[in-house]
Amino acid sequence: MSKLQIRPARRDDIATILMLSIGGNAPGREIVDDPEAAQSDDYQRAFDRIEKDPNNLFFIAELKGEAVGCMQINLLLGIAGRGRLRAQLEGVHIRADHRGQGLGGEMMQWAIAFAKSKGAGMVQLTSSKNRPEAHRFYERLGFVRSHEGFKLSL
Amino acid sequence: MSKLQIRPARRDDIATILMLSIGGNAPGREIVDDPEAAQSDDYQRAFDRIEKDPNNLFFIAELKGEAVGCMQINLLLGIAGRGRLRAQLEGVHIRADHRGQGLGGEMMQWAIAFAKSKGAGMVQLTSSKNRPEAHRFYERLGFVRSHEGFKLSL
């Protein structure tokens, strides 16, 4: 049994989230050109907006008190299906030096249980077509690859 | 030039949204077994919750005062990319008897402009693998089919 602890992200996790998102694997190594980036107004404002949105939840996964993963769960309220709620996962990351230990699966199982506890009828996510190993991972968890994911950069 | 008018959905649009979501094409024809369904507490509560969520926006497209389409735009606030905002489209529907007239494209262009006006850096959506004609439609609009869409029913 792993000791993964999952808790809501705090403002002082911004640098950690950035590191995990870019894939850096050493806590002390900043992943953006500007070492002050995490303190910048852009990130602070982004955190403010997320904090005010009760349907946008950011989590940090810790192992022995050290942040090793993060994920964002958006609760999407719909009308169809008697007001079906979907839980959408974005930005699911595990620190590179902690992969292959089942932590990603554990984090996903936690996310699925969380979605159920909120009354969601579906969990959904998209994964880059370049990542077949991630696709097998999601399929092992019971996800069905039923849709094409389209993105338009603005 | 079409006369498509796009406006926020109102509570009395619930029956219309259900009809459009299921694909019924006659305004008078209810699409669910229970003709009172749109008045049911489930739908009313769903509308309440959506109304309270400033990042969950439901729109109705009207042609000459008649509802012919609907779509939901969720604004997903992130941390990475200096607080990148994504606009996600769900439940994009055009009434069956109004397809093939370019209204879907017009509605999508409106959604893209709306996303830009909100500062979004990306518009995203998923489309069932069973709908190749929809995929060509999104690709013509500039979307890139870069991801696999995974769903897990709970």
Side-chain angles (χ1 to χ4, degrees):
Chain A
M1 192 190 126
S2 144
K3 298 205 170 52
L4 207 58
Q5 298 286 328
I6 296 176
R7 59 160 178 83
R10 299 180 304 250
R11 189 174 295 271
D12 61 6
D13 292 315
I14 294 175
T16 300
I17 293 167
L18 294 178
M19 182 196 70
L20 291 164
S21 303
I22 313 291
N25 62 6
R29 190 176 126 226
E30 185 50 87
I31 33 52
V32 277
D33 291 343
D34 174 7
E36 307 277 301
Q39 303 301 325
S40 83
D41 285 354
D42 289 344
Y43 290 115
Q44 298 297 321
R45 266 197 300 266
F47 197 88
D48 289 342
R49 291 183 68 180
I50 290 169
E51 216 169 26
K52 278 184 203 141
D53 184 340
N55 295 312
N56 187 340
L57 303 150
F58 238 106
F59 296 100
I60 297 290
E62 289 184 338
L63 194 64
K64 296 173 190 163
E66 197 182 357
V68 296
C70 65
M71 69 181 159
Q72 184 175 5
I73 305 181
N74 281 283
L75 299 175
L76 308 179
L77 313 163
I79 293 282
R82 294 191 169 266
R84 183 176 45 217
L85 179 67
R86 293 168 186 239
Q88 174 158 310
L89 306 187
E90 291 275 347
V92 178
H93 300 288
I94 292 282
R95 225 170 74 184
D97 59 348
H98 281 75
R99 291 181 196 149
Q101 301 169 36
L103 299 179
E106 203 178 321
M107 200 162 76
M108 291 295 296
Q109 295 292 5
W110 187 93
I112 292 165
F114 177 83
K116 278 185 189 161
S117 79
K118 292 291 181 182
M122 181 180 280
V123 180
Q124 62 183 24
L125 58 89
T126 68
S127 176
S128 167
K129 285 187 188 278
N130 298 332
R131 299 194 55 219
E133 78 295 350
H135 305 163
R136 287 190 293 271
F137 168 73
Y138 292 123
E139 284 171 338
R140 279 198 302 275
L141 288 163
F143 283 83
V144 178
R145 195 193 312 199
S146 55
H147 285 62
E148 297 286 349
F150 290 89
K151 313 272 176 185
L152 173 68
S153 290
L154 299 180
Chain B
M1 190 191 128
S2 143
K3 298 201 170 53
L4 207 58
Q5 298 286 329
I6 295 176
R7 60 162 178 82
R10 299 181 303 251
R11 189 173 296 269
D12 62 5
D13 292 315
I14 294 174
T16 301
I17 292 167
L18 294 179
M19 183 195 71
L20 292 164
S21 302
I22 313 290
N25 61 7
R29 188 174 127 229
E30 185 51 87
I31 32 53
V32 277
D33 291 343
D34 173 7
E36 309 276 302
Q39 303 301 325
S40 84
D41 286 355
D42 289 344
Y43 291 115
Q44 298 297 321
R45 266 196 300 267
F47 197 89
D48 289 343
R49 290 183 69 180
I50 290 169
E51 216 170 24
K52 278 183 203 141
D53 184 340
N55 295 314
N56 187 340
L57 303 149
F58 238 105
F59 295 100
I60 297 289
E62 288 183 337
L63 193 64
K64 295 173 190 163
E66 197 180 359
V68 297
C70 65
M71 68 181 158
Q72 183 174 5
I73 305 181
N74 282 284
L75 299 175
L76 309 180
L77 313 162
I79 294 283
R82 294 191 169 264
R84 183 176 45 216
L85 179 67
R86 295 169 185 238
Q88 174 157 311
L89 306 187
E90 291 277 345
V92 178
H93 300 289
I94 292 283
R95 226 170 73 185
D97 60 347
H98 281 76
R99 291 180 196 149
Q101 301 169 35
L103 298 180
E106 205 177 318
M107 199 162 76
M108 291 295 296
Q109 294 291 6
W110 187 93
I112 293 165
F114 177 84
K116 278 185 190 162
S117 79
K118 292 291 179 181
M122 181 180 282
V123 181
Q124 62 183 24
L125 60 91
T126 67
S127 177
S128 168
K129 286 187 187 277
N130 298 331
R131 300 194 55 219
E133 78 295 351
H135 305 163
R136 287 190 293 272
F137 167 74
Y138 292 124
E139 284 172 337
R140 279 197 302 274
L141 287 163
F143 283 83
V144 178
R145 196 193 313 199
S146 55
H147 284 62
E148 297 286 350
F150 289 88
K151 314 271 177 185
L152 173 68
S153 290
L154 300 180

